[in-house]
């Protein structure tokens, strides 16, 4: 496939030839004869000795060079997308620039925001987390500079030859030479698409990948790649990825990529950790850099032996210099990724993208511990945000700092509890597998090196996979889409949605176009089908003088199905529909109130707030948001105040259908707060400058119609997610009136005015506590008397008795009695059984058995319970077993 797809006319015209690498076997194109593809380890990092470009570039300078180069050549520059893929429901983080346009643009459903375009897109790839700091080139966070062209049958932009020529011209513009460039063939697969590609190698380093995406996943396709079938698609996409950081590294020739992009932070961390670097250390670093491409093939330990030998250094030098420096490199990289993730609104948690953020935070905290905690994680993340303020939202700094402080507290608590958890597991299982290590992290947040240290204290050796963190991240980097609704297909015309044309329509006329039992499809309807967390409308359908109750309404594709209470409606019938208007009106108010509530939460709590789920109802609604701590009572009051301010401003609520691409360009990805609707067009609901969302629900015309919004309570439903239970309009008034009734009733019972109720309740509580103490004192006197009486009744230290005590009192009496008697059985008024002495377990079981109950215990104590009407029978059995009968 590759030879056919990548045998370009450009190569033939410009003196390129195709070669096969004698080391890795890959095919490549070069202007000069070569035996290898030159990519390390088939070749070496020549750029470490001989600069590729005419001068050294910073990250900012290289980004500007790239964007300007393509802007001058007709490409429209786009602002970067968030690193959290808000517009997708299959992945959490952006891994490549093409993710910005999948699935809607790449499928041909919607047009791109510009064509051709250029962007420098920050990406997060957690699968490489364990290699960061060791290989010298791996990053969890990086910017993918890219130019994209989307070629339609009626609008062809450019394809393979032009893309290769652009790569050459850009490298030359930086001072590189065409003769140093190698184009290495490789198939590319990702996000349901595929195509042939070139890896662009210069000086031994892969600088870019040029993908020619022309395939889509198709179970009937005739092209097979990595076990999946693909077919050609009409849309041909130029998908390029130029590694910004790699270009910077190649321009500077530093020993690692980290030294090129984080020089100030690395120098600062080395100084704080008291790591000195002289000629010997430079030699070790240089040799390590030259050999580092082999780490993934040969393993770090074997490679390090060769590095130390060639540097005339020892393992002691490795421990003092290389190992802590690798930790510093990783910390610098991880904290920049965290700066992107947290400033883009990801809340650390144990779910979705929050899980990946927490994994990175805890890995960083562990590395900082190994260095002696020379600086806080908060300081490092903020340093990155300040450094990259041109592409990061620095207004998020206060929130990011608080999130990290809370995460560090949680991490410390986890460690304090974790030691005993690990010990118990090791005692039970004797050793721990990789799955056990993953379970300990997923369930308890315990990192594997902490687990290993506890195991070593118990003289148990465990093996940690080198790619542990990447393994864990891979399991959590994508989303499994749940199909909750039964999938049905109807070969019927699209149902006209009257509820969108006029959401205030209470009655309508229509014709039945499909009838099957109690399932009815009309040509048009004002009944809203369940969707977006809003329940379906209810009401009646009248036909031929008969009434049918509408019990549910669902939408399948473009067809709306009504489920009625009985059969009888036939195709062709004319019907009259009447909505349960009070229900619909309350739902409209509550749905619009949810949009207002979201705007108020973002205003009070911060821009990181993101909707996590919702369910509207007639009376109480639930609204889940991402937030890093419980919502305080004061914050609830502030949210209600902000919501009321929006409501009383009587802001118009606009709803209209828009082209998806145009809506995204105008409003951004905040559109997808409530989920990601399918289709080329999406319905956009906008409330002034406060809120805009893609939403299919029904709404009031202006916020003033909501009347009132009341938060009933909040709950912390899971780590990183808070639930707000709220209501609005008439339902809110009814809730307040109910609360007032309770307040009035309490006041009447205590015979005090409402404003004195708190003091009265407090006094009542103090009186109750005082009385309780007196009761407990009297109870002790009562039990003491019983103890004396039972001891006096005992025969040779043995007694059996039935007492007017409940189980709790029996246990207290038993505690007092145990030191004074040899053996006893006590049966309480509720059937409770307590036995003490030799063979207590057997005796209690037999007593319980005759009382049709159960008992059990260990040592010299047992307890149980039987039926109340069998107490006498149980007492007789106890006397028999104790030798008192």
């Amino acid at each position: 496939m590759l030879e056919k797809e990548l045998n370009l006319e450009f190569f033939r015209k410009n003196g390129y030839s195709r070669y096969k690498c004698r080391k890795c076997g890959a095919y490549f194109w070069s202007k000069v004869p070569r035996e290898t593809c030159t990519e390390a380890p088939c070749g070496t990092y020549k750029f470490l000795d001989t600069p590729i470009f005419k001068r050294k570039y910073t990250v900012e300078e290289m980004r500007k060079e790239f964007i300007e180069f393509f802007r001058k050549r007709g490409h429209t520059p786009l602002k970067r997308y968030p690193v959290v893929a808000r517009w997708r429901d299959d992945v959490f983080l952006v891994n490549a620039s093409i993710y910005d346009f999948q699935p809607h643009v790449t499928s041909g459903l919607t047009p791109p925001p510009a064509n051709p375009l250029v962007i420098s897109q920050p990406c997060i790839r957690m699968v490489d987390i364990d290699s960061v700091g060791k290989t010298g080139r791996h990053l969890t966070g990086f910017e993918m500079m890219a130019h994209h062209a989307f070629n339609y049958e009626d609008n062809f932009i450019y394809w393979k030859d032009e893309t290769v020529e652009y790569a050459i011209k850009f490298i030359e513009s930086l001072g590189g030479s065409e003769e140093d460039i190698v184009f290495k063939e490789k198939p590319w697969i990702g996000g349901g698409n595929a195509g042939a590609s070139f890896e662009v190698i210069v000086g031994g380093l892969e600088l870019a990948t040029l993908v020619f995406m022309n395939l889509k996943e198709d179970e009937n396709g005739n092209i097979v790649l990595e076990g999946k079938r693909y077919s050609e698609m009409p849309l041909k996409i130029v998908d390029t990825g130029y590694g910004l950081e790699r270009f910077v590294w190649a321009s500077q020739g530093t020993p690692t990529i980290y030294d090129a992009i984080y020089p100030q932070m690395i120098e600062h961390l080395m100084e704080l950790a008291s790591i000195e670097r002289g000629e010997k250390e430079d030699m070790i670093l240089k040799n390590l850099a030259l050999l580092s491409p082999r780490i993934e093939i040969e393993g770090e330990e074997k490679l390090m032996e060769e590095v130390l030998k060639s540097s005339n250094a020892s393992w002691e030098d490795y421990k003092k210099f290389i190992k802590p420096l690798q930790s510093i490199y990783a910390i610098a990289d991880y904290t920049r990724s965290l700066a992107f993730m947290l400033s883009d609104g990801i809340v650390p948690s144990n779910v979705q993208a929050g899980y990946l953020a927490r994994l990175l935070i805890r890995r960083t905290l562990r590395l900082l511990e190994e260095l002696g905690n020379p600086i806080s994680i908060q300081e490092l993340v903020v340093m990155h945000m300040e450094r990259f303020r041109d592409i990061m939202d620095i207004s998020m700094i206060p929130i990011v700092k608080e999130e990290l402080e809370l995460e560090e507290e949680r991490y410390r608590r986890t460690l304090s509890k974790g030691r005993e958890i690990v010990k118990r597991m090791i005692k039970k299982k004797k050793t721990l597998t990789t799955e056990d290590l993953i379970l300990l992290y997923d369930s308890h947040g315990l990192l594997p090196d902490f687990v290993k240290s506890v195991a070593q204290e118990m003289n148990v050796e465990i093996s940690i996979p080198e790619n542990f963190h990447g393994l864990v991240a891979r399991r959590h980097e994508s989303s499994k889409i749940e199909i909750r609704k039964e999938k049905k297909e109807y070969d019927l015309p699209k149902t006209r949605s009257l509820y969108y044309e006029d959401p205030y329509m209470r009655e309508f006329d229509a014709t039945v176009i499909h009838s099957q039992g109690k399932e009815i499809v009309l040509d048009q309807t004002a009944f809203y089908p369940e969707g977006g967390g809003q329940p379906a409308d209810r009401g009646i359908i009248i036909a031929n003088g008969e009434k049918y109750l509408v019990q549910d309404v669902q939408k399948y594709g473009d067809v709306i199905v009504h489920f009625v209470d009985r059969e009888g409606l036939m195709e062709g019938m004319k019907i009259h529909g009447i909505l349960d208007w009070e229900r619909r009106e309350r739902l409209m108010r509550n749905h619009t109130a949810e949009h207002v509530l979201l705007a108020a939460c973002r205003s009070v709590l911060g821009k990181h707030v993101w909707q996590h789920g919702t369910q509207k109802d007639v009376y109480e609604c639930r609204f889940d948001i991402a937030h890093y701590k419980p919502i305080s009572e004061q914050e609830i009051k502030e949210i209600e105040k902000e919501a009321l301010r929006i409501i009383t401003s009587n802001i118009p609520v606009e709803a209209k259908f828009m082209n998806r691409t145009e809506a995204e360009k105008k409003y951004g990805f905040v559109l997808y707060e409530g989920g990601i609707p399918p289709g080329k067009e999406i319905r956009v609901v906008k409330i002034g400058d406060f809120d805009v969302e893609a939403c299919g629900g029904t709404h009031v015309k202006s916020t003033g119609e909501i009347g009132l919004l009341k938060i009933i309570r909040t709950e912390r439903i899971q780590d990183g997610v808070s639930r707000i239970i709220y209501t609005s309009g008439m339902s809110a008034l009814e809730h307040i009136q109910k609360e007032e009734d309770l307040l009035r009733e309490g006041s009447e019972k205590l015979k005090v005015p409402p404003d004195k109720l708190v003091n009265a309740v407090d006094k009542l509580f103090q009186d109750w506590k005082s009385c309780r103490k007196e009761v407990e004192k009297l109870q002790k006197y009562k039990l003491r008397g019983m103890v004396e009486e039972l001891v006096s009744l005992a025969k040779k230290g043995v007694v059996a008795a039935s007492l007017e005590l409940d189980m709790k009192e029996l246990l207290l009496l038993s505690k007092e009695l145990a030191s004074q008697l040899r053996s006893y059985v006590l049966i309480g008024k509720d059937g409770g059984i307590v036995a003490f002495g030799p063979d207590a377990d057997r005796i209690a079981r037999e007593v319980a058995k005759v009382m049709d109950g159960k008992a059990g215990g260990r040592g010299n104590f047992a307890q149980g319970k039987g039926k109340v009407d069998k107490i006498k029978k149980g007492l007789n059995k106890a006397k028999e077993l104790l030798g008192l009968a």
Side-chain angles (χ1 to χ4, degrees):
M1 174 192 121
L2 292 179
E3 184 175 10
K4 177 187 173 185
E5 290 286 330
L6 298 175
N7 190 352
L8 307 186
E9 184 179 349
F10 176 86
F11 288 147
R12 294 194 298 273
K13 283 184 175 180
N14 290 277
Y16 281 78
S17 297
R18 190 173 189 248
Y19 302 94
K20 183 177 183 180
C21 179
R22 63 177 176 81
K23 289 189 176 181
C24 69
Y27 286 95
F28 62 91
W29 294 82
S30 173
K31 201 161 187 176
V32 297
R34 302 180 191 276
E35 292 189 354
T36 73
C37 65
T38 73
E39 183 180 15
C42 297
T44 60
Y45 283 164
K46 289 186 177 180
F47 68 92
L48 295 179
D49 290 315
T50 307
I52 292 176
F53 305 132
K54 61 189 174 187
R55 71 175 183 89
K56 296 179 179 181
Y57 288 86
T58 65
V59 168
E60 292 81 1
E61 289 170 342
M62 186 61 74
R63 186 194 300 126
K64 184 178 179 181
E65 288 280 347
F66 184 83
I67 291 172
E68 278 301 300
F69 177 89
F70 283 97
R71 186 188 64 79
K72 290 175 180 176
R73 288 157 180 81
H75 294 68
T76 301
L78 295 189
K79 288 183 179 179
R80 73 150 176 116
Y81 284 42
V83 296
V84 54
R86 301 290 193 191
W87 56 96
R88 297 181 61 165
D89 56 12
D90 57 336
V91 296
F92 301 127
L93 298 174
V94 173
N95 282 184
S97 61
I98 196 63
Y99 274 44
D100 297 349
F101 313 107
Q102 290 174 320
H104 301 112
V105 176
T106 55
S107 67
L109 181 69
T110 59
N115 196 13
L117 61 87
V118 60
I119 190 170
S120 188
Q121 175 60 41
C123 302
I124 308 289
R125 284 187 189 169
M126 298 286 284
V127 292
D128 292 329
I129 184 172
D130 298 288
S131 298
V132 173
K134 296 177 181 178
T135 62
R137 72 178 186 280
H138 278 101
L139 300 166
T140 56
F142 59 95
E143 282 188 59
M144 183 176 283
M145 303 186 298
H147 62 97
H148 294 281
F150 302 86
N151 296 291
Y152 300 87
E153 290 179 350
D154 59 349
N155 184 24
F156 194 85
I157 309 299
Y158 62 81
W159 193 221
K160 299 172 187 175
D161 291 79
E162 297 90 337
T163 302
V164 169
E165 188 172 4
Y166 275 139
I168 295 168
K169 295 297 183 187
F170 178 64
I171 290 169
E172 286 182 332
S173 74
L174 300 174
S177 169
E178 182 178 2
E179 292 190 350
D180 293 333
I181 303 173
V182 169
F183 293 93
K184 187 176 178 180
E185 298 177 359
K186 190 177 182 180
W188 178 90
I189 295 171
N193 297 113
S197 77
F198 285 122
E199 291 179 344
V200 183
I201 318 297
V202 185
L205 182 66
E206 180 194 344
L207 291 179
T209 302
L210 315 177
V211 178
F212 307 108
M213 188 192 298
N214 62 344
L215 303 174
K216 63 179 179 181
E217 268 189 57
D218 180 357
E219 58 184 19
N220 299 315
N222 57 359
I223 299 169
V224 179
L225 295 172
E226 295 185 6
K228 290 185 178 179
R229 290 190 170 274
Y230 293 83
S231 62
E232 283 208 39
M233 57 185 189
L235 180 60
K236 298 188 185 328
I237 302 168
V238 172
D239 168 25
T240 66
Y242 290 66
L244 170 60
E245 292 80 3
R246 290 197 173 198
F247 270 85
V248 172
W249 184 24
S251 80
Q252 295 190 19
T254 52
T256 72
I257 198 167
Y258 321 109
D259 295 295
I261 56 179
Y262 313 120
Q264 294 87 1
M265 180 172 284
I266 288 167
E267 186 179 341
H268 185 50
L269 283 168
M270 286 179 69
E271 185 179 336
L272 290 172
S274 300
I275 299 172
E276 295 181 0
R277 179 170 167 181
E279 288 184 15
K280 184 178 183 180
E281 287 76 21
D282 282 341
M283 175 65 74
I284 298 172
L285 266 185
K286 179 73 178 293
N287 288 330
L288 178 58
L290 288 167
L291 298 176
S292 63
R294 290 162 42 193
I295 287 179
E296 292 164 279
I297 301 169
E298 301 175 30
E300 186 183 6
E301 190 172 337
K302 183 180 177 183
L303 183 76
M304 196 55 64
E305 285 180 358
E306 189 176 335
V307 170
L308 295 174
K309 186 177 179 181
S310 62
S311 308
N312 196 24
S314 65
W315 280 102
E316 188 62 29
D317 294 313
Y318 166 77
K319 290 177 186 176
K320 285 173 62 178
F321 179 65
I322 294 297
K323 194 170 190 305
L325 186 60
Q326 287 178 336
S327 295
I328 285 172
Y329 286 155
I331 289 166
D333 172 70
Y334 295 164
T335 49
R336 183 176 74 150
S337 292
L338 285 169
F340 273 120
M341 294 168 84
L342 301 182
S343 66
D344 277 359
I346 294 175
V347 174
S349 68
N350 55 12
V351 294
Q352 299 181 357
Y355 177 98
L356 300 171
R358 176 167 290 167
L359 177 67
L360 210 50
I361 290 168
R362 295 197 169 178
R363 175 76 172 137
T364 305
L365 289 171
R366 186 64 177 168
L367 291 175
L368 284 168
E369 281 178 355
E370 291 174 3
L371 291 176
N373 287 318
I375 190 171
S376 71
I377 188 172
Q378 298 98 298
E379 288 178 79
L380 294 171
V381 171
V382 171
M383 282 172 66
H384 280 304
M385 291 179 71
E386 293 284 3
R387 157 81 197 277
F388 297 104
R389 63 192 299 131
D390 57 331
I391 56 169
M392 289 193 197
D393 183 359
I394 60 168
S395 71
M396 286 288 288
I397 286 177
I399 289 170
V400 169
K401 287 175 71 174
E402 189 174 3
E403 285 177 324
L404 289 169
E405 285 167 9
L406 289 170
E407 282 300 301
E408 189 162 1
E409 286 175 22
R410 292 185 181 111
Y411 172 68
R412 304 295 172 210
R413 290 199 299 268
T414 294
L415 293 186
S416 65
K417 295 176 183 176
R419 192 171 296 278
E420 288 306 313
I421 294 170
V422 175
K423 284 182 176 179
R424 284 199 301 270
M425 183 177 271
I426 291 174
K427 284 176 183 176
K428 183 179 178 181
K429 303 193 73 171
K430 308 303 179 191
T431 188
L432 300 178
T433 64
T434 298
E435 285 301 317
D436 293 327
L437 293 175
I438 292 173
L439 177 65
L440 283 168
Y441 180 76
D442 275 350
S443 302
H444 305 287
L446 299 172
L447 292 168
D449 47 355
F450 170 79
V451 175
K452 186 173 184 175
S453 68
V454 176
Q456 285 172 340
E457 292 172 11
M458 301 173 70
N459 295 317
V460 174
E461 284 297 322
I462 61 171
S463 176
I464 302 173
E466 288 186 2
N467 65 334
F468 174 83
H469 298 89
L471 191 65
V472 172
R474 193 175 286 110
R475 294 189 180 192
H476 292 268
E477 68 182 356
S478 59
S479 170
K480 292 180 180 176
I481 302 169
E482 295 179 18
I483 300 172
R484 298 177 184 173
K485 191 188 288 188
E486 179 188 357
K487 192 173 181 181
K488 292 184 179 181
E489 292 185 4
Y490 292 83
D491 186 18
L492 295 167
K494 178 180 179 179
T495 308
R496 184 179 173 186
S497 306
L498 299 174
Y499 50 82
Y500 282 154
E501 295 176 22
D502 180 5
Y504 289 81
M505 184 181 290
R506 304 183 186 198
E507 300 183 21
F508 68 98
D509 295 314
T511 302
V512 178
I513 63 170
H514 171 79
S515 175
Q516 185 175 352
K518 298 177 183 179
E519 294 184 14
I520 307 301
V521 179
L522 307 173
D523 61 340
Q524 59 182 12
T525 185
F527 286 105
Y528 178 81
E530 180 185 13
Q534 181 173 326
D537 282 335
R538 301 286 186 270
I540 59 172
I541 288 175
I542 302 172
N544 294 337
E546 297 283 330
K547 290 184 179 180
Y548 300 83
L549 296 179
V550 178
Q551 297 178 323
D552 191 17
V553 187
Q554 297 290 331
K555 188 175 183 181
Y556 302 99
D558 290 329
V559 177
I560 297 172
V561 182
H562 305 72
F563 296 84
V564 293
D565 64 330
R566 59 193 176 91
E567 298 181 11
L569 289 167
M570 300 297 176
E571 287 181 23
M573 278 187 172
K574 303 294 182 182
I575 67 96
H576 184 69
I578 303 174
L579 274 66
D580 179 342
W581 181 248
E582 184 184 354
R583 172 189 168 85
R584 158 67 85 77
E585 192 173 37
R586 291 193 184 214
L587 287 170
M588 287 168 67
R589 286 196 174 107
N590 279 344
H591 199 150
T592 311
E594 180 201 284
H595 288 233
V596 170
L597 180 58
L598 175 60
C601 286
R602 290 177 73 87
S603 173
V604 173
L605 303 177
K607 291 188 287 186
H608 64 284
V609 167
W610 192 267
Q611 184 174 316
H612 241 267
T614 179
Q615 184 59 54
K616 269 71 74 176
D617 206 341
V618 177
Y619 300 104
E620 288 188 10
C621 308
R622 66 170 173 80
F623 181 56
D624 302 340
I625 58 169
H627 187 46
Y628 53 89
K629 62 180 181 179
I631 303 171
S632 70
E633 287 297 322
Q634 184 57 40
E635 286 171 333
I636 289 171
K637 290 177 182 176
E638 292 301 319
I639 291 166
E640 288 181 329
K641 285 180 184 176
E642 177 63 17
L644 188 61
R645 186 173 74 83
I646 298 171
I647 291 168
T648 55
S649 296
N650 201 28
I651 299 163
V653 179
E654 304 171 48
K656 62 179 179 179
F657 283 91
M658 293 182 69
N659 173 277
R660 180 186 295 273
T661 302
E662 291 304 311
E664 287 179 356
K665 283 170 71 174
K666 188 169 184 178
Y667 300 118
F669 301 109
V670 72
L671 281 169
Y672 303 129
E673 281 274 7
I676 306 160
K680 184 175 182 178
E681 288 205 330
I682 56 177
R683 185 168 178 263
V684 176
V685 175
K686 184 175 181 291
I687 302 176
D689 296 326
F690 293 98
D691 183 73
V692 59
E693 295 178 45
C695 178
T698 56
H699 295 274
V700 293
K701 289 178 181 176
S702 64
T703 59
E705 291 185 46
I706 297 170
L708 178 65
L709 185 150
K710 180 64 185 169
I711 294 176
I712 298 170
R713 64 185 179 277
T714 64
E715 303 167 0
R716 193 77 170 159
I717 61 167
Q718 68 184 46
D719 195 18
V721 180
S722 289
R723 172 166 292 171
I724 299 174
I725 309 298
Y726 75 95
T727 189
S728 72
M730 193 63 70
S731 299
L733 177 62
E734 289 167 356
H735 171 78
I736 292 169
Q737 288 175 338
K738 191 185 294 183
E739 296 280 298
E740 286 178 340
D741 288 342
L742 291 172
L743 186 65
R744 190 179 300 107
E745 188 179 340
S747 299
E748 289 171 357
K749 285 187 182 295
L750 293 178
K751 295 181 170 56
V752 295
D755 61 333
K756 304 290 185 186
L757 186 60
V758 173
N759 290 336
V761 169
D762 185 56
K763 184 178 183 304
L764 184 65
F765 179 67
Q766 296 304 325
D767 292 345
W768 174 81
K769 282 204 299 185
S770 179
C771 291
R772 184 181 172 187
K773 286 178 182 176
E774 289 300 318
V775 169
E776 288 173 354
K777 196 182 293 182
L778 291 170
Q779 190 178 43
K780 283 182 181 178
Y781 287 132
K782 175 185 173 183
L783 293 176
R784 199 173 298 158
M786 285 186 171
V787 168
E788 291 173 1
E789 185 179 352
L790 289 168
V791 169
S792 68
L793 291 172
K795 296 179 180 179
K796 296 181 181 180
V798 179
V799 72
S802 169
L803 305 168
E804 283 296 309
L805 301 176
D806 59 25
M807 190 61 173
K808 184 180 177 182
E809 292 169 325
L810 274 186
L811 292 170
L812 288 171
L813 178 62
S814 175
K815 191 176 179 182
E816 296 289 327
L817 206 57
S819 62
Q820 301 190 48
L821 294 176
R822 183 169 60 84
S823 187
Y824 57 78
V825 173
L826 307 176
I827 302 176
K829 63 182 180 181
D830 58 356
I833 304 162
V834 174
F836 174 80
D839 215 14
D841 181 47
R842 181 185 65 81
I843 291 171
R845 287 178 190 276
E846 292 199 32
V847 171
K849 187 176 181 181
V850 301
M851 292 175 66
D852 294 338
K854 291 182 179 180
R858 59 176 64 180
N860 62 358
F861 179 79
Q863 67 184 77
K865 197 165 188 179
K867 290 184 176 178
V868 175
D869 60 354
K870 301 285 177 73
I871 288 175
K872 188 173 181 180
K873 196 172 181 181
L875 183 61
N876 291 335
K877 185 65 176 178
K879 289 178 178 179
E880 177 192 324
L881 293 169
L882 292 173
L884 298 172

